[in-house]
Amino acid sequence: MPTAFTESELRDLLEHDSAEPPHSMVTAARVHRRVRRIRRRRLSLVAGVAAAALVVAGVNAIPRTVTAEAPDDIWAGVMAQPTPSSSPQYYYYPGQLIAHEQSSKGGVRMRYTYKNILKAVSVAVTCSDTTSYAIVWVHGMIFSNGDCGPMPVRSGLFFQGSAGYNGELEFEVLVVRRKDVAKVGKTISRADAEAIAAAAKPYRAQWGFEVTTLVPMPQTTDLTSVPGPSITPATVPS
Amino acid sequence: MRDRADFERYVAERSSRLLRTAYLLCRDWATAEDLLQTALAKAWLAWRRVGDNPDPYVYRILVNTHATWWRRRWRRETPASALPEAIDEHDALAAIGHREAIRQALTCLPPRQRAVIVLRYFADLPDQEIAETLGCSPATVRSQASRALARLRVDPAARAIQSGS
């Protein structure tokens, strides 16, 4: 049978076993050295965490360009703007006139197809009155939309990113009364445009549609003052 | 307010006993020194918040630090599946072997149970203080002690018989 150990014997055992500590003792000086070590370790840990936090914050704060995926119903071509970008070397400027269409049909979606257009182009819709609204599609996708008046507002169309582009461009133009458009001044979706087109009723309106090439020009102070609307192929260097 | 001189006085007065407590927890003098230095360093970092009796606070750090180290170094210990065999108590050589077996059993105890044994039978703390030190209830202390004593084959009733005889 196993023999029980008594509590008293257990006390004796614990006293006996710990009765001969080593000569080196734990002193306050040694404890303070340990304190300094702990503090250094904590400080380095805090510094490491702070550095990591700074890196994360820096990554989030550094300005960067994010390429957003274009919606399916918006034309993904590059828009040529009349103002220079942050690192521009050239302005793109309307060049030779490729096509000029005129129509008296408001509320009717008109289709124009051009071939062998291998240069960047600028398109513009002009209306005889100031109460119209125009929508331009390229290959069925919304390219531009907005108020339409005698002064053309041009939109540029580049083809660099258009894989499989074979030189053929299909435009559709719709001019409607501005009062029939709910989202005037806003970006509209493909569905919005289709709804406007479906609801539009034919009426008499004078409007024009023109396509010109876009010509890169070195950035100069003179160019910025050239008025766009009065440009004709004869006055613009090709 | 507790100051540096107060802390140094406490270290001078108590470090010997605390070192022995630390040794009984880890059963290695070098580790015990390391353990106590760490515990006292942590106590110093919170010294202003420690009350008039720093012992419970230091014991608590000792036990918790040891438990943490034990978890990290658990592979160094080899728990025995079999309890130490009983021997003939009238045999002197057997008695020595019996104490060694108890030592082995002590090292095989989980750190929590070992802490209860050390605090109760070496530091002579009542169960209530042990509970406060370990952050548990007195009932838990009693159950931990009971399990530990069973593994050590210590019979609590034997003390009464012995003291009564």
Side-chain angles (χ1 to χ4, degrees):
Chain A
M1 284 287 291
T3 305
F5 206 65
T6 64
E7 284 188 343
S8 174
E9 286 173 311
L10 180 60
R11 288 178 196 279
D12 288 345
L13 180 71
L14 296 175
E15 279 289 336
H16 176 266
D17 285 356
S18 63
E20 297 176 3
H23 293 295
S24 60
M25 291 296 293
V26 175
T27 63
R30 292 172 69 183
V31 171
H32 285 303
R33 276 201 296 275
R34 179 65 58 95
V35 168
R36 286 193 290 275
R37 211 170 78 187
I38 291 173
R39 282 185 171 147
R40 276 198 302 272
R41 197 169 60 231
R42 288 181 181 176
L43 191 64
S44 64
L45 186 67
V46 169
V49 171
L54 279 176
V55 168
V56 172
V59 167
N60 288 327
I62 291 170
R64 63 192 190 280
T65 302
V66 176
T67 305
E69 191 173 338
D72 290 342
D73 57 349
I74 302 294
W75 174 256
V78 179
M79 302 291 288
Q81 299 296 328
T83 52
S85 66
S86 59
S87 58
Q89 299 300 317
Y90 298 96
Y91 279 129
Y92 282 89
Y93 215 72
Q96 288 182 314
L97 183 66
I98 296 172
H100 181 74
E101 315 289 349
Q102 285 196 320
S103 175
S104 59
K105 294 178 182 176
V108 177
R109 191 166 171 169
M110 304 296 289
R111 180 176 296 172
Y112 306 105
T113 302
Y114 309 106
K115 293 185 178 178
N116 300 320
I117 297 178
L118 298 171
K119 291 184 177 179
V121 296
S122 168
V123 300
V125 181
T126 55
C127 297
S128 59
D129 57 50
T130 57
T131 58
S132 297
Y133 187 92
I135 303 172
V136 179
W137 289 264
V138 176
H139 293 288
M141 292 179 285
I142 295 173
F143 173 57
S144 68
N145 61 284
D147 291 342
C148 185
M151 303 291 279
V153 177
R154 297 178 180 275
S155 296
L157 184 58
F158 293 74
F159 309 121
Q160 291 94 327
S162 304
Y165 175 64
N166 59 4
E168 181 175 306
L169 276 179
E170 180 187 280
F171 291 98
E172 290 173 281
V173 182
L174 172 67
V175 174
V176 294
R177 293 186 179 94
R178 194 197 302 162
K179 65 181 178 63
D180 295 334
V181 179
K183 292 184 177 178
V184 172
K186 297 178 181 176
T187 302
I188 59 174
S189 67
R190 188 177 188 175
D192 293 333
E194 295 299 331
I196 292 169
K201 294 177 180 173
Y203 71 102
R204 187 170 183 83
Q206 291 294 325
W207 57 269
F209 175 69
E210 70 174 38
V211 181
T212 63
T213 59
L214 276 176
V215 180
M217 296 286 288
Q219 180 179 353
T220 66
T221 52
D222 292 336
L223 278 174
T224 58
S225 61
V226 173
S230 61
I231 293 168
T232 64
T235 58
V236 175
S238 59
Chain B
M1 182 178 290
R2 306 188 71 84
D3 56 11
R4 188 183 182 109
D6 192 21
F7 175 74
E8 290 178 355
R9 193 163 47 248
Y10 174 79
V11 172
E13 288 174 0
R14 296 288 297 153
S15 64
S16 177
R17 187 74 180 172
L18 289 171
L19 181 61
R20 294 175 67 183
T21 307
Y23 170 78
L24 291 173
L25 288 173
C26 64
R27 290 277 164 175
D28 179 81
W29 284 112
T31 306
E33 276 189 43
D34 204 16
L35 185 61
L36 180 58
Q37 277 187 43
T38 300
L40 289 174
K42 288 179 179 175
W44 167 245
L45 290 171
W47 194 244
R48 291 172 190 277
R49 298 193 301 271
V50 175
D52 290 337
N53 180 18
D55 270 357
Y57 190 80
V58 174
Y59 277 134
R60 184 173 206 161
I61 300 174
L62 262 182
V63 170
N64 289 341
T65 305
H66 171 252
T68 304
W69 289 9
W70 185 86
R71 278 193 294 272
R72 289 177 186 163
R73 304 173 182 180
W74 66 273
R75 287 183 180 82
R76 292 184 180 182
E77 297 181 340
T78 311
S81 58
L83 291 170
E85 287 298 317
I87 40 77
D88 185 357
E89 61 183 350
H90 301 295
D91 188 333
L93 289 175
I96 294 171
H98 192 182
R99 292 170 73 93
E100 188 57 39
I102 293 295
R103 284 192 191 96
Q104 291 295 323
L106 272 169
T107 61
C108 293
L109 288 178
R112 202 79 168 167
Q113 290 182 15
R114 199 186 311 173
V116 168
I117 292 296
V118 171
L119 292 177
R120 185 192 259 190
Y121 297 106
F122 180 75
D124 280 329
L125 297 183
D127 287 352
Q128 180 65 37
E129 275 190 40
I130 296 173
E132 289 169 7
T133 299
L134 299 180
C136 60
S137 67
T140 304
V141 170
R142 284 193 290 274
S143 67
Q144 293 271 4
S146 175
R147 288 193 194 117
L149 292 176
R151 294 181 71 164
L152 296 172
R153 295 193 190 284
V154 172
D155 183 3
R159 180 178 59 176
I161 295 168
Q162 198 173 49
S163 56
S165 63

